Amino acid sequence: MKSFKSIPGTFDILPDGYSAGGDTIAPSRMWRHLEAVVHRIMASYGAEEIRTPILEPTELIARGIGALTDIVTKEMFAFERGSTHYVMRPEVTAPVMRSYLQHNLAQRGGTQRLYYIGPCFRAERPQKGRYRQFHQFGLEVIGSEDARADAEAITSLRDVIRELGLKQYTLRLNSLGDADSRPAYKAALVDFLTPKADQLSDISRKRLETNPLRILDTKSEKEQALLADAPLLSDFIDESSREHHEMVKELLTDVGVDFVEDPFLVRGLDYYSRTAFEFESPLLGAQSSFAGGGRYDLLSKEVGSKQVVPAVGFAAGMERILLACAAEEIAGPHRTVVDVFIVALGDAAMKWTFEGAARLRESGLDVAFDLKGRSMKAQMREANRQEARFVAIVGDDELAAGEVQLKDMSTGEQSSVSLTDIPTRVNA
Ligand code: HAM
């Protein structure tokens, strides 16, 4: 018989955590903990949740992220049905902007703070921290060019990380300037690198022609040394972008957010201008960056808006954040426990477990019982595995008398109580 396995670069999220190759996959309760923290922190910023489809028009992503980016040229899960071109979203910013424009969310008034949690898809070569299906949470602040919006995108992300208990991370910050300052810088960088092209890697040589700014992102020490004397983007950015950047830095300093200025920080998506930032952890190996974002005032026009809609946001990789949590030994909440596990002896008692559990659930308790008609010992083992707080032991005689033996699993104390008294005892 043929057996099946999950596709490389995709993972099952199970009740217990597990290791797969070099990866540690967190248990589902840790995912729910992270999601709960995201919902709570986003609420504290007045942000509202948005859910957009997994499938989007391919052209939205190609135009939004940039036709020459790695994501669009190499990493899209895209296909056709009839004359329609679909892509499984590789990120959520362009979809959120599409949705904002499609539903004219500007009409709601003010600035829209929209956050999301959900899967994304990129056809990358799987390795630790880099997957084909991964999950992002993110915030998009749409409709404001105010530096406070940029700072808010950063602090809300910092708040999530802080609430989780992560300590070892660095925020890297840069300004990419406006759309006009980039071409001049690009030209200067190409002038600087062209005579040194033979010392560049094949990829960087190609990028020299397609997307030279991405060379700044190189992980190769040899290339980094080569770039030491390269012209700096910060010397090319326009005055108003510079003032905006100074304001973002002041605001972050006002609320005690540490950052490192990184003039070489460019992002892998083309829609950015002005603010760009990344959060990284030294504990994540090669894929050290666990979140990134920035301002993308130009995206709206790329995807069909007549007017510029200024916007800024971030997205964080949930797998990478959970890997960082594991590396910092943050265990998260205790596993889910049931309040009461009913252990039944005898046919009548076993049948009754179903009704007994239903009544206890109505009074607000979490209740489980064995479904296999096993021995008392096996049922007790199961109660232990589920970390039940109490075990209610019922035999046919107890059932006739309307009583159960209630055992407090933390103290070992056992006493005879009527079914209706269980909730009071459990909640005492
Ligand atoms: P990004 O840097 O492409 O930005 O992705 C954000 C985060 O998603 C990364 O920092 C990383 O943690 C995670 N990530 C990306 N690709 C993978 C992968 N293959 N496997 C695992 N995790 C991955 C964006 O997506 C922008 N939309 C961010 C943004 C929002 N900018 C403005 N608003």
Side-chain angles (χ1 to χ4, degrees), residues 210-260:
T210 55
N211 201 350
L213 261 58
R214 290 283 292 163
I215 301 174
L216 300 178
D217 238 5
T218 179
K219 299 274 183 298
S220 140
E221 281 178 21
K222 194 176 139 215
E223 291 187 342
Q224 282 170 354
L226 210 63
L227 286 166
D229 303 322
L232 292 179
L233 184 51
S234 47
D235 293 331
F236 286 76
I237 70 173
D238 55 293
E239 196 46 41
S240 77
S241 291
R242 196 185 310 280
E243 282 166 16
H244 190 268
H245 190 51
E246 289 306 317
M247 182 58 87
V248 172
K249 290 192 287 183
E250 270 179 43
L251 292 168
L252 292 176
T253 306
D254 286 347
V255 294
V257 173
D258 294 331
F259 56 86
V260 174

Side-chain angles (χ1 to χ4, degrees), residues 71 75 90-94 116 120-122 124 129-136 138-140 267-269 271-272 278-279 289-296 312-321:
I71 296 179
E75 296 165 3
E91 60 104 54
V92 198
T93 308
Y116 48 84
C120 294
F121 304 84
R122 296 184 192 177
E124 307 201 64
R130 174 175 281 175
Y131 313 114
R132 299 191 144 183
Q133 173 169 349
F134 59 98
H135 299 76
Q136 288 187 342
L139 169 70
E140 311 296 350
R267 305 257 309 125
L269 307 92
Y271 48 56
Y272 295 109
E278 283 186 3
F279 280 76
S289 166
F290 63 78
R295 178 162 282 286
Y296 52 94
V312 59
F314 77 83
M318 297 173 76
E319 284 81 358
R320 290 189 194 171
I321 286 190

Side-chain angles (χ1 to χ4, degrees), residues 93 114 116 137-142 144 149-154 156-157 267 271-272 275-278 291-297 310-316:
T93 308
L114 301 168
Y116 48 84
F137 68 86
L139 169 70
E140 311 296 350
V141 184
I142 307 184
S144 169
D150 306 54
E152 222 178 44
I154 293 171
S156 62
L157 173 55
R267 305 257 309 125
Y271 48 56
Y272 295 109
T275 308
F277 59 88
E278 283 186 3
R295 178 162 282 286
Y296 52 94
D297 295 346
V312 59
F314 77 83

